[in-house]
Amino acid sequence: MQYKILLLVAVFSTGLFAQKKPVDYVNPFIGTSNFGTTNPGPIAVRGMVSVSPFNVAGPKNMPLEKDSRWLSTPYVHENTFLTGFSHVNLSGVGCPELGVILAMPTTGALEVDHLKYGTSYSNEVSKVGYYSNTLDNYDIKVEATATTRVGVSKYFFPKGDANILINLGLGLTNEQGASVKVVSPTEIEGVRSVGSFCYYKPEEAYPVYFVAQFSKPADEFGVWKKPTTYKGAEAEWMGYNGKERIMKGFTKEVVGDSIGTYMRYNFSEPTVVEMKIGVSYVSIENARENLEKETATQSFDQILVEAKENWNNYLSKIEVEGGLEEDKVKFYTALYHTLIHPNTLNDFNGEYPKMKTRETLRTDDTRYTVFSLWDTYRNLHQLMSLIYPSQQSDMVKSMLQIYDESGWLPKWELNATETTTMVGDPAGIIIADTYLKGITDFNVEKAYTAMVKSADQIEGNPLRPGLKDYIEKGYLTTKTTNSGSVSTTQEYNISDYAIAQLAKALGKKSDYKRFSKRSISYRKLFDKEYNLLRPKNDDGSWLTPYNPASGANFEKNLGFIEGNAWQYTFMVTHDVKGLMKLMGGPKPFVNRLQDVFDKGQYDMANEPDIAYPFLFNYVKGEEKRSQKMVSELLKTYFKNSPDGLPGNDDTGTMSAWAVFSMMGIYPVNPANTTYTITSPKFNKITIHLDPEYYGEEKLVITSNVSEENQFIKEIKVQGKSHNGYFIEHQELVKAKSLEFLLEE
Amino acid sequence: MQYKILLLVAVFSTGLFAQKKPVDYVNPFIGTSNFGTTNPGPIAVRGMVSVSPFNVAGPKNMPLEKDSRWLSTPYVHENTFLTGFSHVNLSGVGCPELGVILAMPTTGALEVDHLKYGTSYSNEVSKVGYYSNTLDNYDIKVEATATTRVGVSKYFFPKGDANILINLGLGLTNEQGASVKVVSPTEIEGVRSVGSFCYYKPEEAYPVYFVAQFSKPADEFGVWKKPTTYKGAEAEWMGYNGKERIMKGFTKEVVGDSIGTYMRYNFSEPTVVEMKIGVSYVSIENARENLEKETATQSFDQILVEAKENWNNYLSKIEVEGGLEEDKVKFYTALYHTLIHPNTLNDFNGEYPKMKTRETLRTDDTRYTVFSLWDTYRNLHQLMSLIYPSQQSDMVKSMLQIYDESGWLPKWELNATETTTMVGDPAGIIIADTYLKGITDFNVEKAYTAMVKSADQIEGNPLRPGLKDYIEKGYLTTKTTNSGSVSTTQEYNISDYAIAQLAKALGKKSDYKRFSKRSISYRKLFDKEYNLLRPKNDDGSWLTPYNPASGANFEKNLGFIEGNAWQYTFMVTHDVKGLMKLMGGPKPFVNRLQDVFDKGQYDMANEPDIAYPFLFNYVKGEEKRSQKMVSELLKTYFKNSPDGLPGNDDTGTMSAWAVFSMMGIYPVNPANTTYTITSPKFNKITIHLDPEYYGEEKLVITSNVSEENQFIKEIKVQGKSHNGYFIEHQELVKAKSLEFLLEE
């Protein structure tokens, strides 16, 4: 009864104040500069397809030109030279890949060289599920939206000659090769090869299939090809050597490294053409079925409305009230970013490619892909478990499918390839965390077996290189690996801790003991001299000489991956008490932790130290430091502007950090159900829980936050005063209310 | 009654003397050196597919390495380094093209770089429909045979690791691009792009589809790719930059410029694997259907037997007895070469690609392709009309399909592309000749319309550039074209003569007059000063200074294509009397003609002067010169050895010259039904005529030829003494017998 009344009130107030919906707060430009590597183009929730403006090719885009530097995004906000709209894209990653199937509308004579047809653009608009701009050279307005597997574009052509190019040569990926065929004057089908994420494992390059359909039949169509430049004797007879060539009216497959296809029109009046591009990782037939089943006879505008509605449904699982409007933009954009990856791999009919060999398999659930687990094990999956437990369940099931298919859990899985990027063995951490949070509708025994396999199998283990030393000595040495012996030891510790926690829950006592013991072996790398971790050599001696600062700014070093001793030492949140003891107690611990920030060693742009700001909570009386630090970091690094992410979004990990932080809770210890608490940024946060998993409809977090009130005076759970700055997941999801009394 | 007795005698004598069949006389190595550009690999009669040893790649094959010079054949007899067996190949052409879908068996570790896996070979055997060798590095015996659309190979592997590579990067063509997919451990499917014949029209490159099936399932399979080498900033992160990479167990499409696929085995004992590769120019599905319909469950040996039988049926249409064994080899090999091109384009189900746009069309007859008409209009189609009139009818019908599809008759058609190589407008010459010879089961009115179109349409005419000057002045000038103004005028004259002859037969009197007049306009280019043809300038003046010898050895020159004034002046066999008159009568004509040979200007290796040796027949009392010259040329240039052709076979034109010459008749004047006569090389030549077209079962040519008897004393037709050295086609095919009485 009360529920109904509340609903009426909500409806009423919407009408009265024309209240903005969550979806209206999202600014997809956030993260498109400062190497955030997010894209402003439309994408459905966890969509396979997005339509990203592609503006990173060509010297006019220097210095952020894709081939002249390490650049891992199809779109950079500062760039100005657009050469198409790519239809499969990665968001917030650190390595160039995908960014292919480029569509580009132009006018006038046919020109297929992107350096010549490229143009500046204006009137950029980016909203959830929608992107628009005007191509300056052609006076074409472009609009784009997307369903899960289909990119939908609308080109407003002026009168006269018009072209729609599908460029399969150009791409963000450095993989090459494509096949394309004009099926009819309204349809094109093709394959583009992609792969070699992080310039690695090119042998696992794989095809992405597409079908493009056009609302108006082309007056002319054709294909182009830019062949390899021949050298030597034959070159002199080849007038066309290395030159792009047009094959007009061609209706057969064209294959090669640099090819494309075009539809050409002559319009007697300004005309709108809608183009739909369906994608599949299984087959052209599936790409066509995806297109037809998802967009059927729907117009662009209908698809856009549905895309927005669907996004709003997801974003509305957390409703925020009060606080700064700016913070709402930051919050909902961050939440939006956490709903992009992992994304859907399977086709509409459930088919998807098996790991590596890519045989066609079928799933009834959603098969997710893009598991950047070294990043996301820290907070993104914890957010999913809390807000979208059904999705999180499917993600775990996808990990187990990957195990079934490849023999191993994923590490950095991308479209059914295991890129083995970064270190550690993170899948089990997520699985344990998920299970312990009460999401248990997956085969936990299989999961456990998979976790133990990677923890114990010394030979031929792709997930845990150096495992022999780790098991025998307790750590990797400077001989075991030339990069990150300490980091990797820590990662394995956390994974072992996760196994121990799950073992405990499953009643596997001896495993619990064994892995609990293994999980704290990092302690052997703690050097009292520096009160920091330090690499050890094969003979057990310390790496000498030693500069703990070395490794900052991604400098390669023996002990640490993408970081240094400062940024890694506290990355033992499963053993904070242990670390405290090593350091000499709470006080030295707090001092050393504060040093990280004061000495400029804290790196908000990368994952190892991402939980540091919350660690002051472990020392009674020091919690305000956490509240202060988190607030400052949110303010400094998260902004409503293209440079509004600290760096690579890391498939939503940075954004998940912001979402949790702004709600006042943070899953500080992965594979453990405890959240730590800091001050929220809104007066009211309503989390609509999934009753299927949590039995409750919602959790309401309230606070008197204001510009003045930033520090926690009291925390109430279900109306009762709460001791300390930690809360268990089960307590939280049953709490119904979490009240903050803040003060200056 | 008499027929039956003869048959019995034939059967009897076969048994008695173990008589060699026509097929046994063919030596497919003839033409594989001296730029004959024929292939020793197996092919069915007018087959789409052949299996050619491919030994022209890699520096070990210098100086006849394909990329280091103009080389237009996948196989050169002197070369020694084999890198595979290509499955679509052109025979006897002058430009590199096709030579793709390379299969290669190897042993040991997988190696996919042709420079490394290539090997020398021994024990080469080449027979009709059969090729075999042993790959030295691997001790693998290879056998190959073929049906019309399927190459069939047998690999005799030793015990141990074995590989079958399908290399889609390497090819004789300089076109690139392929797509390939392993369907199962016994099947591979793919597409290879080909095109740019004569380094021209790359925009008309097109796909050839294939399906490969293996008699034994592979223990392992995979795909490889050699990517483009990156330059610049990214290259430093790409450890695999430009390197070949293996994708083991991969089952999706792989696309790119340089790719391949492999089947890998481990044999516990020596094992034979049979591989069938079906080809189509329409689709993979059709390639598979071609494979399955043509080879079904047949073994290699059954296919080989059928291939030989079919060849023998065709070759036996002419049976020769007596004469030199060596001459029988030369004769049947030449006849074999005339049955390779034009070849079948349509699939088993009748589908074939439409000209240029390659939409799928269907035919009930055979759709032929590879119309090198500048060559073949001179004698090859005349041979087809006489011996294989049903095939010739289908060839004319194919030309008319090409006209229907493209708006123009073919010039140098290749797999549904018009390469427009060489000059002139030759299709109509063949059509007229065919019709006048009594092969009339095609739409002659359509053909006539097509012929007149190319003769009269001045704008946008791809067949007759320079037509305006030709019509207005009677000739092309040194301004009209920078290459071959005289040659092209002559070619147009002959085509106009053909139109006139057909017009006459169809009762189109005014056209007959108009085109007859046009057909002798070359006379305006006859320069009495040299008694030779000479280019004229735009203002009607002679090209000055003038060296009639310039143009020999393919030297580019203003007046003549691939030749000089000597080699072209007599190429007016439709107007020999007129030329004679220009030269001052029969005596100066004979002297000038003899000069061509005496001054070393005669070129047996190219077409323009190919009829010269027979022209002495036009002057009474000089006929022995023709008999002597033809005999000498047959002896000098046609041999039972790899260098046994004068040069490029020109898709059988050189071979057709030999076949006619050895039978003692030659179609000296294309588009005219007259044969001229010279001494035959066998005691008995039985031509099995097609009664459907000619009403007669056969024509028997007998002679007392011997080492001594070379010159004609008397010719008898149907037992009656024949006047002169010419005979009409209709008289010949009704003659039943043609008797030669030869003398020393």
Side-chain angles (χ1 to χ4, degrees), chain B residues 307-326:
Chain B
K308 281 187 73 167
E309 275 180 8
N310 194 40
W311 268 110
N312 199 57
N313 289 342
Y314 273 89
L315 297 172
S316 300
K317 294 291 173 197
I318 311 178
E319 291 181 281
V320 299
E321 295 166 56
L324 302 174
E325 284 292 288
E326 199 74 354

Side-chain angles (χ1 to χ4, degrees), chain A residues 459-672:
Chain A
E459 296 299 323
N461 186 330
L463 297 175
R464 294 211 196 186
L467 185 60
K468 190 162 181 282
D469 280 352
Y470 173 76
I471 289 174
E472 287 174 6
K473 299 181 200 287
Y475 52 85
L476 281 70
T477 73
T478 55
K479 190 187 168 195
T480 325
T481 174
N482 63 3
S483 176
S485 61
V486 180
S487 304
T488 308
T489 301
Q490 292 176 270
E491 296 289 353
Y492 293 171
N493 272 193
I494 299 168
S495 296
D496 287 347
Y497 171 78
I499 297 173
Q501 301 312 302
L502 188 57
K504 192 178 173 192
L506 298 176
K508 299 173 196 291
K509 288 186 184 170
S510 71
D511 271 8
Y512 169 65
K513 278 186 194 159
R514 182 161 74 93
F515 286 103
S516 291
K517 192 178 166 203
R518 277 172 50 154
S519 77
I520 51 171
S521 66
Y522 82 92
R523 293 180 183 175
K524 296 184 181 174
L525 298 176
F526 187 83
D527 182 8
K528 194 69 199 159
E529 183 187 345
Y530 292 92
N531 251 359
L532 291 172
L533 297 178
R534 178 174 179 179
K536 272 191 176 167
N537 298 319
D538 191 48
D539 63 0
S541 62
W542 293 116
L543 172 68
T544 308
Y546 181 55
N547 172 12
S550 85
N553 303 317
F554 283 67
E555 180 200 349
K556 195 174 171 182
N557 67 103
L558 281 165
F560 304 94
I561 293 283
E562 296 190 353
N564 62 19
W566 294 99
Q567 290 148 11
Y568 267 96
T569 294
F570 295 86
M571 193 189 82
V572 288
T573 54
H574 64 295
D575 187 42
V576 176
K577 290 269 150 65
L579 179 66
M580 228 176 262
K581 202 170 170 190
L582 292 171
M583 287 186 165
K587 194 76 195 165
F589 170 87
V590 167
N591 289 345
R592 207 70 184 129
L593 184 58
Q594 189 63 48
D595 277 348
V596 178
F597 296 97
D598 295 348
K599 290 177 189 289
Q601 293 292 353
Y602 181 71
D603 181 6
M604 184 70 242
N606 211 6
E607 276 66 16
D609 56 8
I610 200 168
Y612 280 25
F614 302 96
L615 297 185
F616 296 107
N617 279 352
Y618 284 86
V619 180
K620 198 167 176 167
E622 302 290 350
E623 299 90 348
K624 280 197 169 52
R625 295 202 201 214
S626 282
Q627 295 156 36
K628 180 168 179 282
M629 197 55 68
V630 171
S631 290
E632 278 179 15
L633 292 168
L634 277 173
K635 207 165 185 174
T636 308
Y637 291 104
F638 295 86
K639 290 172 286 190
N640 178 16
S641 55
D643 63 347
L645 284 177
N648 290 170
D649 194 32
D650 292 331
T651 70
T653 305
M654 290 299 153
S655 290
W657 188 93
V659 170
F660 270 125
S661 297
M662 293 174 94
M663 294 197 298
I665 53 173
Y666 192 84
V668 67
N669 182 4
N672 173 297

Side-chain angles (χ1 to χ4, degrees), chain A residues 174-222:
Chain A
N174 61 50
E175 177 64 12
Q176 307 122 18
S179 169
V180 73
K181 183 175 153 182
V182 179
V183 179
S184 75
T186 57
E187 188 175 293
I188 291 164
E189 63 178 36
V191 185
R192 177 47 151 104
S193 189
V194 291
S196 325
F197 186 71
C198 292
Y199 305 99
Y200 189 51
K201 283 207 182 174
E203 69 281 6
E204 293 191 10
Y206 55 93
V208 49
Y209 304 88
F210 73 93
V211 167
Q213 291 182 353
F214 302 82
S215 64
K216 294 208 181 304
D219 297 320
E220 180 196 319
F221 56 76

Side-chain angles (χ1 to χ4, degrees), chain B residues 1-16:
Chain B
M1 195 63 191
Q2 200 187 352
Y3 181 62
K4 276 187 184 164
I5 290 167
L6 272 170
L7 263 180
L8 283 170
V9 170
V11 170
F12 183 66
S13 63
T14 306
L16 197 63

